Amino acid sequence: MPEPLRRIAIKHRELVKFALVGGTTWVIDTVVFLGLKSTVLEPKPITAKILAVLVATIVSYVLNREWSFRTRGGRERHHEAALFFVISGVGVAVYTAPLAISRYVFHLAEPAVSLLTQEIADFVSGQVLGVILGMAFRWWAFRRFVFPDVNVRRRPAGADVDEPQDVPERAAGSSPAPADHDPVGS
């Protein structure tokens, strides 16, 4: 990668990782949405979209927690996961709103428009506009509420700076054992 781009990517690595996770989950969302919409849920595009977003959201939680925001945290895992899924639930409404508006406000559906126009409108509203709005909302909300604290999941000594690692959590009140501790005694 050219040096100017490398510096920008390193400076904004969390956003770059979030965008890559978003791109991956967009592909998952798109494949599931189009697969459901063209088969078992043909007459129900909103249901197909909601199911697609839910599948992508599960993948998103794992990838964001373990990669994009791996050094952020500040909450117990169950609380963090609950917030992630609540915010993602709100994100489903944000993602789905453009598709609902396209279909039910602008009536961009058969028989009012051709099948080609309907499919293009569904794709643009559901997979482009909805995704952009949903990702912007989720980026803000995840950093603000789900992973609010920076560098709370520390890196062990000698870890690669570009790829931070988690340190196993210690029980409350316990202290770390010295690195050169000899339990037998010398």
Side-chain angles (χ1 to χ4, degrees):
M1 182 181 291
E3 184 55 35
L5 290 177
R6 180 175 163 75
R7 273 185 274 139
I8 291 169
I10 289 171
K11 181 178 180 184
H12 301 288
R13 94 180 93 217
E14 195 172 78
L15 179 59
V16 169
K17 289 178 179 182
F18 180 78
L20 288 171
V21 168
T24 301
T25 56
W26 180 85
V27 169
I28 292 167
D29 175 46
T30 300
V31 168
V32 172
F33 173 63
L34 294 176
L36 290 173
K37 188 175 164 300
S38 64
T39 58
V40 296
L41 293 176
E42 183 180 345
K44 298 181 178 187
I46 303 300
T47 303
K49 181 62 180 169
I50 290 170
L51 290 173
V53 169
L54 291 175
V55 169
T57 299
I58 292 167
V59 173
S60 177
Y61 175 68
V62 172
L63 293 176
N64 276 306
R65 183 181 198 293
E66 298 304 325
W67 191 51
S68 302
F69 301 112
R70 80 180 297 157
T71 62
R72 295 179 71 95
R75 304 194 184 287
E76 293 179 21
R77 188 172 295 202
H78 68 278
H79 189 218
E80 175 185 275
L83 282 171
F84 187 95
F85 286 101
V86 166
I87 288 169
S88 293
V90 173
V92 169
V94 173
Y95 275 97
T96 309
L99 178 60
I101 291 167
S102 173
R103 276 288 180 118
Y104 304 116
V105 175
F106 295 137
H107 303 289
L108 294 175
E110 284 189 301
V113 298
S114 71
L115 178 60
L116 179 62
T117 301
Q118 171 186 293
E119 295 306 312
I120 291 170
D122 283 357
F123 184 80
V124 170
S125 61
Q127 295 307 113
V128 178
L129 296 175
V131 168
I132 290 169
L133 292 172
M135 283 186 73
F137 167 75
R138 290 175 62 199
W139 168 252
W140 169 78
F142 289 165
R143 288 175 50 93
R144 174 79 169 94
F145 300 109
V146 180
F147 307 109
D149 299 327
V150 181
N151 294 325
V152 294
R153 295 194 295 163
R154 297 171 299 163
R155 292 176 250 161
D160 183 0
V161 174
D162 288 340
E163 288 298 323
Q165 305 290 319
D166 287 346
V167 171
E169 297 177 42
R170 293 189 300 260
S174 67
S175 60
D180 58 350
H181 176 71
D182 180 8
V184 177
S186 317

